[in-house]
């Protein structure tokens, strides 16, 4: 018997959601066969078997799983799996006799691994599990309790607001597997990272003057401006570790958010400081196509050192995304807009501007450093000589 372990697909997440199994429980699989699809905060990945065998599932579809933990077992034969299941039933029955009695004399239910994890994540207590009336509780049973709790909260809010509709009419919407993966990352980020925020206005007049016919846009130019500051601000490109340590990145690998309506992805532009800006523009276009088709290469998300989060839809003037666990900084680009300014003799004129911001882990980066970093990026975007250097 071999354990089917969940590999660590990226360094930002502690786990992922097992979206669905692609083979039946108890089916024979061959080595390198895709047996399940899992979803991280960045992409949909395939889980492959590392050996021939008969699959036995340990978790159910929709469960949140930790990297490095088994999600299934591979047996040499169906008979070996049947023997394992028979032994497990005997053990479960023996352990249940006389154990786990509650105050009313009833036994505590037995939880599957997926059910136990789900109950712990959502604060489901043993007394709530007993109300199911089941000896063995699966993840789907726990999910039903979670949904019932959400419905009760919604109903209570309606009553408090003076609504007359009965709680039975409340509509409960469950998060999709993709959104559950996002929720796990967001929760971990807010729980562990004391984030701070700074923003700076950038005059785009010089950029607009050099834009005609250029094979790049503001996003690519900002990537170059960020990457150019790798040597001067190495802590902004570092990976956080235990005991307040940081591992410095050897290259300015800039992850850029891509969202074309199929979910949020953060593929990485490798060694952006050294590469021509036209190459970066080509890679970004390839990333958008891959996002539409959802067929990213496995290495597209590897080795990210700093993140550029694009919030440049019209009228977005400010945004503060989370710092992904393991990163120290995320830079944000907001929408271009017109701003009224004054000439030296007091005459008003309109100029194009945008906001560039930094959300950063305050344990490692201080406000003064964030302002210096943003000011350096701003200077590179506002002067024709600096733009020419970055684009050259």
């Amino acid at each position: 018997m071999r354990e089917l372990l969940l590999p660590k697909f990226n360094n930002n997440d502690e786990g992922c959601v097992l979206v669905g199994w692609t083979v039946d429980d108890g089916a024979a699989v061959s080595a390198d066969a895709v047996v399940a699809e899992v979803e991280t905060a960045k992409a949909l990945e395939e889980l492959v078997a590392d050996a021939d065998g008969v699959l036995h599932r340990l978790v159910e579809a929709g469960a949140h799983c930790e990297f490095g933990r088994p999600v299934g077992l591979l047996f040499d034969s169906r008979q070996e799996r049947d023997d394992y299941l028979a032994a497990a039933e005997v053990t479960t029955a023996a352990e249940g006799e006389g154990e786990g009695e509650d105050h009313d004399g009833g036994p505590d239910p037995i939880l599957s691994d997926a059910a136990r994890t789900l109950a712990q994540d959502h604060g489901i207590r043993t007394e709530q599990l007993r109300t199911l009336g089941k000896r063995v509780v699966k993840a789907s049973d726990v999910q039903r309790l979670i949904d019932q709790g959400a419905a009760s909260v919604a109903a209570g809010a309606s009553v408090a607001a003076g609504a007359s509709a009965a709680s039975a009419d409340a509509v409960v919407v469950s998060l999709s597997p993709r959104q559950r993966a996002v929720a796990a990352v967001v929760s971990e980020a807010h729980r562990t990272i004391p984030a701070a925020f700074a923003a700076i206005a950038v005059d785009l007049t010089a950029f607009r003057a050099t834009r005609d016919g250029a094979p790049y846009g503001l996003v690519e130019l900002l990537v170059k401006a960020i990457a150019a500051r790798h040597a001067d601000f190495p802590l902004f490109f570092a990976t956080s570790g235990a005991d307040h340590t940081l591992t410095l990145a050897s290259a300015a690998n800039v992850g850029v958010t891509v969202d074309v309506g199929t979910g949020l992805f953060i593929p990485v532009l490798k060694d952006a400081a050294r590469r021509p800006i036209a190459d970066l523009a080509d890679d970004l276009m390839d990333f958008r196509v891959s996002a539409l088709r959802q067929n990213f290469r496995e290495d597209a998300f590897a080795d990210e050192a700093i993140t550029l989060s694009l919030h440049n839809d019209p009228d977005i003037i400010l945004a503060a995304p989370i710092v992904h666990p393991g990163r120290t900084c995320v830079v944000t680009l907001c929408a271009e807009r017109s701003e009224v300014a004054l000439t030296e003799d007091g005459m008003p004129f309109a100029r194009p501007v945008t906001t560039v911001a930094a959300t950063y882990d305050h344990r490692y980066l201080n406000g003064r450093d964030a302002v210096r970093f943003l000011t350096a990026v701003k200077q590179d975007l506002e002067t024709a000589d600096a733009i020419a250097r970055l684009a050259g």
Side-chain angles (χ1 to χ4, degrees):
M1 179 184 70
R2 297 170 59 92
E3 291 183 333
L4 180 63
L5 300 178
L6 187 65
K8 192 173 182 66
F9 290 104
N10 64 64
N11 293 324
N12 291 338
D13 303 337
E14 295 299 323
C16 60
V17 174
L18 193 146
V19 178
W21 293 95
T22 58
V23 296
D24 294 333
D25 198 15
V29 299
S30 58
D32 297 327
V34 177
V35 296
E37 291 184 335
V38 299
E39 190 165 34
T40 68
K42 293 183 176 181
L44 194 67
E45 305 282 357
E46 293 180 338
L47 176 64
V48 299
D50 57 358
D52 297 341
V54 175
L55 174 67
H56 175 66
R57 303 173 183 173
L58 294 179
V59 301
E60 298 180 5
H64 187 274
C65 309
E66 295 181 8
F67 293 141
R69 298 292 297 274
V71 295
L73 301 173
L74 291 173
F75 293 92
D76 292 335
S77 65
R78 287 190 172 85
Q79 184 60 53
E80 184 181 7
R81 179 176 180 268
D82 292 341
D83 293 342
Y84 169 85
L85 293 177
E89 289 180 0
V90 172
T91 302
T92 299
E95 290 177 348
E97 293 180 358
E99 294 186 2
E101 298 294 323
D102 63 16
H103 296 297
D104 296 327
D108 289 347
I110 298 170
L111 278 68
S112 68
D113 289 344
R116 183 177 295 104
T117 299
L118 194 60
Q120 291 173 348
D121 289 346
H122 291 269
I124 302 298
R125 301 182 302 276
T126 301
E127 52 267 30
Q128 293 173 277
L129 296 170
R130 293 194 194 106
T131 64
L132 294 168
K134 292 190 173 186
R135 187 71 184 94
V136 178
V137 175
K138 300 182 296 183
S140 57
D141 301 320
V142 178
Q143 186 61 52
R144 188 164 66 253
L145 284 176
I146 295 169
D147 293 343
Q148 290 172 354
S152 297
V153 171
S158 296
V159 171
S164 59
S167 61
D169 295 331
V171 177
V172 177
V173 178
S174 296
L175 295 180
S176 66
R178 181 183 296 277
Q179 192 59 38
R180 291 182 189 180
V182 172
V185 174
V186 172
S187 298
E188 179 68 10
H190 282 291
R191 186 180 68 83
T192 60
I193 299 176
F197 181 75
I200 197 166
V202 177
D203 186 344
L204 297 178
T205 303
F207 166 73
R208 286 280 183 85
T210 61
R211 182 67 185 90
D212 291 342
Y216 61 87
L218 182 57
V219 173
E220 292 84 0
L221 188 64
L222 179 54
V223 169
K224 290 290 292 185
I226 293 170
R229 297 301 167 177
H230 174 219
D232 297 331
F233 299 89
L235 299 188
F236 286 73
F237 298 79
T239 300
S240 60
D243 300 323
H244 294 88
T245 60
L246 289 172
T247 301
L248 303 183
S250 59
N253 299 328
V254 182
V256 182
T257 60
V258 176
D259 191 345
V260 293
T262 57
L264 177 66
F265 302 92
I266 311 180
V268 180
L269 293 170
K270 307 294 176 57
D271 203 9
R274 299 179 183 272
R275 296 174 58 202
I277 196 169
D279 287 357
L280 301 181
D282 289 343
D283 279 0
L284 280 174
M285 180 56 67
D286 290 342
F287 289 158
R288 296 184 185 102
V289 173
S290 295
L292 281 170
R293 298 174 178 173
Q294 299 197 45
N295 63 348
F296 282 98
R297 303 187 315 272
E298 289 187 6
D299 63 348
F301 308 102
D303 303 323
E304 178 185 3
I306 193 171
T307 308
L308 172 58
S309 184
L310 302 181
H311 291 264
N312 52 347
D313 292 320
D315 300 327
I316 301 297
I317 60 173
L318 199 61
I322 65 166
V323 180
H324 281 261
R327 304 275 73 76
T328 59
C329 179
V330 53
V331 179
T332 305
L333 174 65
C334 298
E336 295 184 41
R337 63 186 188 275
S338 293
E339 177 182 84
V340 176
L342 298 177
T343 63
E344 293 182 356
D345 56 0
M347 297 298 295
F349 70 98
R351 64 177 182 177
V353 297
T354 190
T355 299
V356 175
T359 308
Y360 54 95
D361 190 331
H362 214 335
R363 294 173 297 180
Y364 307 107
L365 306 176
N366 294 321
R368 179 176 178 274
D369 299 320
V371 171
R372 290 176 54 239
F373 173 74
L374 288 174
T375 300
V377 171
K378 169 189 171 75
Q379 291 171 349
D380 281 349
L381 297 177
E382 286 189 339
T383 59
D385 289 345
I387 293 174
R389 172 175 50 81
L390 294 174

